[in-house]
Structure formats: structure tokens, C-alpha cells
Amino acid sequence: MKMTFNRVLLAGVIASALVAPSVLAAETLKIAYIDPLSGAFANVGEAGLKHFEFVAADINKRKLAGDVKFEIVPFDNKVSPQESLNVLKKVEDQGIRYITQGNSSGVAGVLIDAVNKYNERNPGKSILYLNYAAVDPDFTNSKCSFWHFRFDANSDMKMEALTDFIAKDPKIKKVYLINQNYSFGQAVSRAAKEYLKRKRPDIQVVGDDLHPIGQVKDFAPYVAKIKASGADIVITGNWGNDISLLIKAAKDAGLNAPFYTYYGGGIGALSSMGDAADGKVKQITEWHANIRPNKTEKYANAFDAKYGGPPANISFYYLRVNNEMYMLAKAIKEAKSTDPKAVAHKLEGMKYEADTGEVEMRATDHQLIQPLYISTAAKAYHNPKDPKTAKFKGTDPEVKYDQDDSGYGFKTDARIEAYVTVQPTSCHMKRP
Amino acid sequence: MEFFLISMLNSISYGLLLFMLSSGLTIIFSMMGVLNFAHASFYMLGAYFAYQISGWIGFWPALAIAPLLVGAVGMAVERYGLRTVHKFGHVAELLFTFGLAYLIDEAVHLIWGRSSVPYAVPPSLDGAAFTLFSTEYPIYRVFMMAVSISMLIGIYLTLTRSRIGLVIQAALTHPQTVETLGHNVPRVFMLVFGGGSALAGLAGVIGGNAFITEPGMAAAVGPIVFVVVVVGGMGSLVGAFLASLLIGVIQTFSVALDYSFVNLFAKLGITIGPNTPLAALWDLTISQTAPVLPYLLMVLMLIFRPKGILGTREG
């Protein structure tokens, strides 16, 4: 016991040494990273943090924001809305003016409200909220805010693209929906039904399950239900362990229907699904390691060299984190100021040449319009000439990289151009 | 018919896994009166040890070695921690195991990282055992059931037929007498705690690759294990066995029931629309509530039969 305790202590000392600001530049811009760093979703939050720290170091090195240095300050919100409000208080007290968050739309909704209120009461000290992953469509429609910018495609945009892809396949007649029972899961289920009805009225929705988030250990009963329904495909917005356990249970029962997912390639998902994912799991994302052409390859390799090995085993995943931070740097440079209001005005309508093509931060609702990819999990390519691929078993050279050291990667099915993903918005933004 | 049979098999195998998880806890509680909050953490340790060992020398040796290692950790905890805390009473013991759970969690974070580890089912147990109509039933689930049942029989025989089992039982009610007869009672307790932890470790070896080996796995199974023990009756091994199966059946079959109050009221001629008061509640289907039903069962059990299915103590 004593040894364990010492280890914890030692790690604490090392961690605090790492967190301490290392650069004392003319101006250091602190960005509060608010996501789970403990509890069931700690792995996801930890991976996000590494992405932010890595890109901040890149921005500082290349002076992309001029003389302004970025510093990421991590805060643990345990994916709890209540805890997030406490964290926001701390952020306000420390005078940090930028926050970024991504995991769970439940948290994001609360943060948007709180930031709006705070900015109204403290006009000179406003806070800007950069959202990298919470995809509830409301945030850029009925709940849209001048102080909120979303860098991920929202769940309706992704569903539009997924259903376009599904509609083209005449063999699909029966669709099963299974989602987590909270705002995002419900949004996925609603959009899937609505869009399929519009595009392919002959497709039957044979099941629509909502289950509590993070509570289900054994998905075998759900899989038995899917099997009994005779579904051709399954659509799910599940993330974290909820997706991995679902796919594993499906493989165990010999369910052949492919899964159309949002987060089938999320952090750690492929390593826990393993063989069960091969050829079965499709995902819609803004990037994956085997897209062609892949302008992010060098960057991703540098990231993987740092974090790809044990114990972290994280591959580069969030291109949108890079887009967010590079666009922020560009806005600061253009505004010649780090004042959130001035920066927000520069971000509105900004066009930026991202690695996957031109993206645009739509001014009307602060939703980033970007190209998307649909891809399928496959065994990574075993290249006899490259010793690094010794443990890979795939035969398709297109699947060059695996993810999270799992031996599995993704192969592109379709690229969806940015303009195709555009959706109307009901946002009437109040500008200060 | 196919759906019913598969669901029945699923519920039995899930129930048996729950039993594997909770048997150690119930033994420790009935023998020592310690409610071990770190029990699920021992389950997690079992999974991680098995992952590490199976990477070196394969799954089968890990199946034997990992639970023994967890048992050794458990014994060390009892010898150097719990025994000292014991004299301050049950609250101190409870708090001790509570803190221990956090320490084990953090240790796992430090050693194996925060992400999941690729601990996979061995190839010899991967695949279908048999096909029922059109659904395959995995070998691994059959294996899980076999281990669980042999565990029940093994524990039962050890406690009732073996010499050490008799000493343990005697030490419970008459510790002084047993000590006078020359038996080392603290050592007996150490063995019981180690044995209980080893059982949790064994469940971890088997549950870890059936599900996911990740640092959150202890927190995920922690509450349900207590439900099993409370419903089965504090300290009753057979009660825990029945409760596990009951919970397995409830949880599995309720997933299939897409009925809500809206359907019920519709039968009575009342329509419920989105504007009805409490619409969200009436619209909730049984399948949506499936994962929380065991907790409802626990609450009802505590109200109407506090000693559980086969428990002997009141309240």
C-alpha cells in the first residue's frame, strides 16, 4: 500500500511540474480545457487534452498567433453539468477568457447559458466558448449564441450525410436505431427517422431503442432484439464504452448487419472492439488517418510518436481541435487583440484552408462548415518491407495506419464536400 | 421462440457473471462482517493482471495466476490494513475499503493508463458454440457459465465439507473457542479475505475480455454487486446466486418490452400527446428503464423484505 501511495505522490509532483507555465512571454493566452479527467470518461477527456496541448505547442513554436503564446489549463468537470458550472466559476476567478469543451451536449448546453449570463453582467470581461465536439443541433439553432462557436459538424449535418449514403443502397430495407437516452441520442434518433422518411420512404424503421448512458454492461439483450427485428443496418450515436460493448455483443451473437456510427472510431473504441469491428463499423468524421490525400500525415505521425505508445496508446483523432486552435490563432492575429469580443468578430465568417479543404465558420449561427468522410473499419496493411507493420494483418495498402495501437484502421467510403453538409438554421443571433 | 430462448440464455449467463462478481463480497461479509467497498476494484485488478500475464504466457496460465495474485493482494490488505483498522469498528473498516478503492483506481491509471487495454478472448474460445435457429451462441459465454457454476459448487464444498471450511465456520460464531483449540483465527480471516478477493479477481479475468478492460470498469459494476448482495440477503451465498439469476432475467427481458403508459392509456381510451402533463414520464418505455430496474428491485426489497431472499439477519 505504501508503495502505491508514494507512486501517486510522485506522479502528482511530476504532473504539477508539467502543468506549471514554462514560457514567460510578453502575453500568454490561457485557454481553459473543461472535460472529464476522472471517472468513466476520463480516457476521452485525457486524449482531448493531449490534442490541445500538442497543437498549442505547435502554434507557439510557429508563432501563428504572433507574440501571443497559448497555454492550455485543464479543468476536470467529471462530465457533470453541475461540476462544469463550478469549474466555470474558477475560470472566471482566475481571469481566463477562453474556454473549450466537447464531451456531452448536456454539459455544453449548461455552459452556453452560463457564459451568456456572465457576459451580459460583465461586459468588459466576456468569455468566449469554443466547442470542439458537443453536437446537439440546438446550439446553432434555437440556443445559438454570439459567444459560442462550434468546430464539429452538428449531429443533423452528420445524419444528413449518413442518410444520403444509406439512401443510395437499394439493398437496405430495414433500419434499427439504438442510442443513448439524452439530448444528443434523442436528436440522432429523431433526425434519422425524419431524413429516412424524406429520402427513402420505403425504408422501415424496425426498432428505436434509447438506453441510459454509460449504464449498460451487457448489450446481448439489445442485440437479440436487433436480430429478431431483421434489420439490415443499425444506426447509432453511441460513444465511449456504449459503442464498444454494443459492437462486441453484436459480434458474439453473429449479427451481420453493419453499424453506421458517429463514434465507432472514437478514442479507444477500436482497441476494445478489435476483430468485431472489421468491415462492420462505419463512422462519419471530419478526418481519419487513411484519407487521401492526407495533409495531416506528418503532424499525426509526430503526435503518435509522442502519445501512440503505452501507456496512453492514443492516435491523433481530432482534426477539429487543430482547426479550432489554428482559426483562433488566425483571428487573434487579425484582430491584433486577445479580447474575446474582437476575436469573435474575426472568427465569424472566417474562411480557413484546413488540411481537408476550405472550411468556413458560418456567421449566422457560428457552425463550422467542413468536408466530412464516411469510412469503414478494416485491418491495417501488413507491409513486408516495413517492420513497424509486423503485427498488422490486412492486405489493403489504403489502410496504412491503425488507430490507438489496435491493428485496425479506417478506409474511406465517401468524401462529403463542405457545401453538401450545409443546413438551414433557425438562429436569430443577438450581437453585443 | 428463437428470441425467447436466446434471451433466456443471455439472462442466465449475465446472472452467472453477476454471481461470480458478488460471491466474494457476500462471503467476506458473512464471515467477517466487513462490507468491502473495494470489491469491484479487485475485479478490475483481476482483469488487468490477466491482460498483462496473458500477454506474456497466454490466457490459460493467466486464468490461474491472476486470481491468485489478486488473492495475495487481498491478503496483504487484510494483514497490513484491515486488521489494524478492525479494532476501531465497522465504520472505520468501511471507510478504509472505500479509500482503498480510490487508491487501486489511481494505481491502475498510473500503470496501465486511462484508456482501455486490448485484452481479447483467446482464439480457442472465440467463435460460436452452437447455432440456435439463426443466432450463434458464443463459446465464451458457455465458458463463463461453466466457470461460474463450478465456482458455486467449489465454494459450497470447501465451506461445508473441508476441514478449513469447518474451522472458518466455527471461527465465525466462537472465535475464542477456536483460538483455544489452537487455530490461528486472524490467519483464518486473512485467508477468507484473500479468498473473497481472489474470487473477484477470477470474475475480472473472465469479465475483462468479455466486456472491456478499462479503468472505469470497477465503478461500472460496483453498485450492481451491492444490489445482488442486498437482494439475495446479506451474507447468503445461495441467496446471492438466486438474486443474480433474478436480476439477469429482469434486465434481459425488460429490454424487449417496448410498452409505456401511453400504450396502457390508449387501451383505456385515453390519448396522451406531447402536451399532456408529465408527457416524458408517460412516454418512457419499460425497455428504456431496463438498466435501472435492479435498483428499483433493491429499494422494494429493502422496504418489504429487508433481510433479502435468503438472508438470516433482519435489516
Side-chain angles (χ1 to χ4, degrees):
Chain A
M1 253 10 278
K2 204 172 163 208
M3 210 179 97
T4 323
F5 184 70
N6 284 341
R7 276 196 129 129
V8 174
L9 213 69
L10 184 70
V13 172
I14 295 172
S16 49
L18 288 176
V19 167
S22 50
V23 195
L24 292 166
E27 185 170 12
T28 301
L29 183 80
K30 288 187 176 176
I31 300 161
Y33 172 82
I34 306 176
D35 255 333
L37 296 171
S38 66
F41 295 105
N43 54 349
V44 183
E46 188 78 15
L49 177 61
K50 297 209 160 86
H51 280 74
F52 274 101
E53 283 172 343
F54 200 75
V55 74
D58 180 53
I59 287 169
N60 293 345
K61 202 173 115 198
R62 294 200 282 148
K63 289 194 182 295
L64 292 180
D67 282 335
V68 179
K69 294 265 178 214
F70 282 12
E71 184 197 334
I72 309 293
V73 189
F75 290 91
D76 180 14
N77 72 352
K78 306 180 175 73
V79 237
S80 139
Q82 183 55 47
E83 197 71 30
S84 305
L85 288 181
N86 296 342
V87 165
L88 192 65
K89 274 267 162 318
K90 273 189 225 160
V91 168
E92 291 160 7
D93 292 347
Q94 294 184 20
I96 300 176
R97 311 279 297 274
Y98 289 84
I99 63 171
T100 188
Q101 180 270 350
N103 290 297
S104 175
S105 292
V107 169
V110 167
L111 281 179
I112 291 176
D113 286 342
V115 166
N116 284 344
K117 271 191 202 129
Y118 178 81
N119 289 353
E120 214 165 277
R121 287 174 197 152
N122 305 278
K125 292 192 272 181
S126 45
I127 288 177
L128 193 63
Y129 172 21
L130 307 171
N131 168 1
Y132 75 95
V135 295
D136 186 336
D138 279 353
F139 303 155
T140 44
N141 284 288
S142 61
K143 286 181 90 177
C144 71
S145 156
F146 176 76
W147 304 108
H148 164 261
F149 288 85
R150 168 153 54 202
F151 293 84
D152 194 4
N154 74 38
S155 72
D156 283 358
M157 296 161 78
K158 291 183 185 176
M159 186 52 77
E160 193 77 68
L162 270 183
T163 46
D164 277 343
F165 189 73
I166 291 166
K168 280 186 207 138
D169 187 345
K171 275 182 289 189
I172 299 175
K173 299 274 182 229
K174 290 176 174 177
V175 171
Y176 199 100
L177 310 174
I178 177 164
N179 288 290
Q180 295 153 327
N181 198 359
Y182 76 114
S183 62
F184 161 66
Q186 290 158 3
V188 170
S189 152
R190 178 186 44 71
K193 283 183 281 193
E194 203 181 302
Y195 298 169
L196 283 173
K197 204 169 156 194
R198 169 156 49 85
K199 292 172 190 170
R200 280 277 302 276
D202 62 309
I203 286 184
Q204 218 187 330
V205 175
V206 290
D208 182 9
D209 265 327
L210 290 170
H211 63 80
I213 174 171
Q215 295 285 321
V216 182
K217 187 90 190 156
D218 186 8
F219 272 94
Y222 294 91
V223 170
K225 209 172 155 191
I226 296 172
K227 186 114 195 170
S229 76
D232 297 315
I233 64 162
V234 181
I235 299 178
T236 176
N238 280 13
W239 55 284
N241 289 340
D242 285 340
I243 182 75
S244 312
L245 288 168
L246 175 64
I247 303 290
K248 281 185 106 172
K251 186 215 164 202
D252 281 348
L255 179 70
N256 279 317
F259 283 75
Y260 287 68
T261 74
Y262 280 51
Y263 302 112
I267 305 293
L270 278 185
S271 17
S272 36
M273 295 188 281
D275 193 32
D278 191 12
K280 292 274 182 56
V281 174
K282 293 179 186 294
Q283 64 163 358
I284 178 153
T285 49
E286 79 281 8
W287 184 86
H288 63 86
N290 300 311
I291 63 166
R292 288 184 171 177
N294 183 7
K295 288 191 193 159
T296 325
E297 190 169 6
K298 230 177 110 187
Y299 181 94
N301 282 340
F303 183 93
D304 293 2
K306 186 159 182 193
Y307 298 117
N313 287 335
I314 302 167
S315 297
F316 182 70
Y317 173 70
Y318 292 116
L319 183 69
R320 50 186 187 261
V321 167
N322 288 16
N323 291 342
E324 173 183 315
M325 297 300 276
Y326 290 145
M327 286 174 80
L328 175 65
K330 191 176 164 202
I332 287 173
K333 219 171 165 182
E334 284 176 9
K336 297 191 183 68
S337 156
T338 56
D339 178 56
K341 194 169 143 189
V343 170
H345 278 294
K346 287 292 172 199
L347 270 176
E348 278 194 322
M350 177 187 278
K351 288 189 176 158
Y352 173 74
E353 193 54 42
D355 286 351
T356 52
E358 191 181 70
V359 301
E360 181 188 348
M361 181 50 79
R362 188 160 66 177
T364 43
D365 60 346
H366 294 185
Q367 168 67 54
L368 190 74
I369 309 292
Q370 59 189 328
L372 295 172
Y373 292 86
I374 295 175
S375 53
T376 308
K379 291 189 183 83
Y381 176 55
H382 175 73
N383 182 354
K385 286 177 202 141
D386 185 356
K388 264 190 274 178
T389 68
K391 62 174 193 157
F392 294 168
K393 297 195 185 81
T395 50
D396 187 346
E398 195 181 326
V399 192
K400 187 173 169 192
Y401 294 104
D402 72 335
Q403 207 179 326
D404 303 338
D405 201 23
S406 65
Y408 295 85
F410 281 90
K411 180 181 157 76
T412 308
D413 294 315
R415 174 182 154 105
I416 298 110
E417 294 303 330
Y419 70 90
V420 183
T421 70
V422 173
Q423 286 202 317
T425 172
S426 61
C427 170
H428 295 285
M429 197 175 283
K430 278 192 281 176
R431 289 186 166 74
Chain B
M1 191 59 194
E2 174 185 359
F3 181 73
F4 178 80
L5 281 179
I6 288 292
S7 294
M8 204 62 218
L9 279 173
N10 280 337
S11 50
I12 293 173
S13 73
Y14 184 61
L16 288 173
L17 179 80
L18 282 182
F19 172 70
M20 266 199 275
L21 267 169
S22 49
S23 59
L25 183 68
T26 201
I27 288 174
I28 292 173
F29 182 76
S30 65
M31 307 277 156
M32 305 171 63
V34 176
L35 201 50
N36 182 11
F37 269 99
H39 193 73
S41 306
F42 287 116
Y43 162 75
M44 173 163 74
L45 274 187
Y48 273 99
F49 284 172
Y51 157 69
Q52 201 70 62
I53 296 169
S54 61
W56 291 327
I57 47 175
F59 175 77
W60 296 106
L63 182 65
I65 299 171
L68 290 178
L69 277 180
V70 178
V73 174
M75 282 197 267
V77 165
E78 202 281 336
R79 174 68 187 78
Y80 299 104
L82 215 47
R83 195 176 293 182
T84 329
V85 182
H86 182 70
K87 53 180 166 291
F88 301 108
H90 282 322
V91 176
E93 285 174 343
L94 210 73
L95 290 175
F96 174 79
T97 58
F98 198 70
L100 180 67
Y102 280 96
L103 280 179
I104 294 180
D105 265 20
E106 275 312 313
V108 166
H109 279 298
L110 287 175
I111 301 171
W112 288 284
R114 288 184 194 276
S115 208
S116 54
V117 292
Y119 173 35
V121 169
S124 53
L125 291 174
D126 202 8
F130 54 86
T131 308
L132 205 64
F133 299 96
S134 69
T135 304
E136 292 170 1
Y137 203 75
I139 308 176
Y140 202 71
R141 289 228 164 203
V142 178
F143 172 71
M144 252 161 77
M145 291 198 254
V147 171
S148 178
I149 290 172
S150 29
M151 197 159 129
L152 175 71
I153 298 172
I155 300 168
Y156 185 77
L157 291 181
T158 314
L159 286 182
T160 55
R161 297 282 183 278
S162 77
R163 202 179 152 73
I164 180 85
L166 295 176
V167 173
I168 290 172
Q169 295 216 354
L172 288 177
T173 43
H174 301 88
Q176 271 90 19
T177 320
V178 174
E179 201 144 42
T180 324
L181 287 172
H183 295 288
N184 185 348
V185 171
R187 214 191 87 207
V188 169
F189 278 3
M190 187 173 86
L191 284 176
V192 168
F193 197 86
S197 310
L199 290 177
L202 178 62
V205 177
I206 289 169
N209 50 8
F211 302 114
I212 298 174
T213 303
E214 44 101 21
M217 67 192 288
V221 300
I224 193 87
V225 171
F226 282 96
V227 174
V228 171
V229 174
V230 170
V231 172
M234 287 291 206
S236 163
L237 196 62
V238 181
F241 184 70
L242 293 177
S244 306
L245 290 181
L246 181 68
I247 289 171
V249 169
I250 291 180
Q251 214 163 332
T252 305
F253 279 92
S254 54
V255 165
L257 303 172
D258 281 321
Y259 303 111
S260 67
F261 283 108
V262 176
N263 305 103
L264 183 71
F265 286 132
K267 282 215 172 92
L268 301 171
I270 308 166
T271 343
I272 303 253
N275 298 321
T276 319
L278 302 177
L281 179 68
W282 305 129
D283 207 23
L284 204 63
T285 62
I286 298 177
S287 66
Q288 284 173 26
T289 56
V292 288
L293 285 180
Y295 302 98
L296 183 68
L297 179 70
M298 177 174 81
V299 171
L300 292 178
M301 191 58 100
L302 284 173
I303 295 173
F304 295 110
R305 196 184 157 85
K307 63 177 180 177
I309 299 178
L310 288 179
T312 42
R313 301 168 193 235
E314 269 304 333

